[in-house]
Amino acid sequence: MIKYGLDVSYAQGKFDWSTVKKLNPDNIDFAIVRAGYGNNNIDAQAKRNFTELNRLGIPAGAYWFSYAYTRKMAANEAKCLLDFVKSYKIEYPLIFDFEYASDNYAKKNGVNLSKSDISELVDEFCQYLERNGYYAMFYTNLEYKRNKFDTALFKRYDHWLAYYGKNNTHEGYMFQHTSTGRLKGHNGNLDLDYTTRDYPTIIKKAGLNNL
């Protein structure tokens, strides 16, 4: 069974979860929230988003936008994420998000990250989460999947793939299928997602995420 959801950050402002859930009962099976970025920078709406999701019983996961360019920095980001989410019920994976801005930040600091380097950052972050009893995942798009991450990562961890085309035949465990989605009760574009995996059941059975 396909489960439908969305991912949000401060960019959506004070999201009206109650109204959106009520008006879109078939499209709000889960939500992925940006918890923060870099060195312990908490997203401006993260606390409110998680509080509302937990209150309404909407299963939630979290992602951390990375600015790491060393393994130590990646581990610190993972710790920051864990320190934040421990106060909330998390039924979906915790996700490492390394993108173009991440790579550019490293370059501005005089570091040119190779494919192997970036893959090590993913591995460090995700291993830290696993060692602390949480379900780990990483985010990618097709370009990064093909050119920036070692293939071994896709066998080791689940990945959340941004793919906005039709007739999706790409491998992934969760998909971000549009950045211009619309839901009743919200004025503006949204990132919409879906998955065929029942993460709450998988995670709970595995005894992870403090469930």
Side-chain angles (χ1 to χ4, degrees), residues 55-147:
R55 180 180 70 84
L56 294 166
I58 300 172
Y63 74 92
W64 194 269
F65 194 94
S66 179
Y67 286 103
Y69 50 83
T70 68
R71 292 187 73 111
K72 184 177 181 180
M73 292 172 73
N76 180 65
E77 289 183 343
K79 181 180 184 300
C80 293
L81 173 56
L82 287 180
D83 286 345
F84 177 75
V85 300
K86 65 185 180 183
S87 299
Y88 304 99
K89 186 176 183 180
I90 304 295
E91 297 177 84
Y92 270 71
L94 297 184
I95 303 160
F96 181 73
D97 184 4
F98 188 97
E99 301 183 42
Y100 302 103
S102 316
D103 214 354
N104 290 335
Y105 181 78
K107 290 176 182 176
K108 288 179 182 178
N109 283 275
V111 179
N112 290 308
L113 295 169
S114 66
K115 183 176 183 178
S116 178
D117 292 333
I118 295 173
S119 298
E120 286 185 2
L121 298 178
V122 177
D123 194 49
E124 184 69 31
F125 188 98
C126 290
Q127 279 195 42
Y128 190 100
L129 298 179
E130 290 186 341
R131 288 196 301 271
N132 285 275
Y134 278 81
Y135 200 105
M137 175 187 273
F138 67 100
Y139 175 88
T140 185
N141 57 37
L142 282 179
E143 180 186 350
Y144 268 57
K145 184 173 183 177
R146 291 166 177 160
N147 303 314

Side-chain angles (χ1 to χ4, degrees), residues 199-211:
Y199 278 110
T201 297
I202 291 170
I203 290 170
K204 189 172 182 179
K205 283 185 176 180
L208 300 172
N209 293 20
N210 288 326
L211 297 178

